[in-house]
Amino acid sequence: MAKSILFDLDGTLTDSGEGIMKCAVYALAHYGIDAPSEEQLRTFVGPPLTETFARFGVPLDKLAEAVEIYRKRYIPIGRFENHPYTGVRELLEQLRNDGHKLYVATSKPEWMSIEILEHFDLAKYFDMICGAATDFSRNSKEAVIAHLLKECGAQENPVMVGDTA
């Protein structure tokens, strides 16, 4: 029986750690926060940026600004300091050939997720790519998944594949 399979993007389909971590350091420096260890910086890969910036001491009233600062480096440079994991393309091809419906559900902005997947020629494998809305109406992973399931009707035993709980 064909299943609907939802994939996270960062840390699941692509290794985006380098770009994300460099941009996090860039934004933290703006607030005078010293660069954490590489292990600590890895916590930026996956969850919404506002949650992670808050854990590193960015004041709550500055979280949206921190994301803007982060994106000043991420949009032109950081998003392409990234590469698909070995075997991802072959996996996606096999899953499609086996009749599965494939989707992306990520807390990364939707427009950016589409551009990254197109850049790596992976977008063609997905029936829908769903990410965070630019107006913050859909900025948690739960909201993204709920929206995706509602929009595409991925009701056949959907499975979520990702790197975080």
Side-chain angles (χ1 to χ4, degrees), residues 66-121:
V67 172
E68 287 179 28
I69 294 164
Y70 170 97
R71 289 188 179 147
K72 282 182 185 176
R73 184 185 186 283
Y74 188 79
I75 290 172
I77 301 167
R79 67 183 165 150
F80 300 119
E81 293 173 318
N82 185 2
H83 62 273
Y85 284 111
T86 303
V88 161
R89 187 175 319 280
E90 295 81 5
L91 171 68
L92 296 173
E93 284 179 21
Q94 185 62 53
L95 290 170
R96 289 293 299 228
N97 290 339
D98 290 346
H100 296 284
K101 293 196 172 282
L102 307 180
Y103 304 93
V104 171
T106 177
S107 56
K108 181 182 288 308
E110 188 169 295
W111 69 269
M112 194 180 304
S113 302
I114 292 168
E115 285 187 2
I116 290 168
L117 289 164
E118 287 175 348
H119 175 78
F120 292 118
D121 196 32

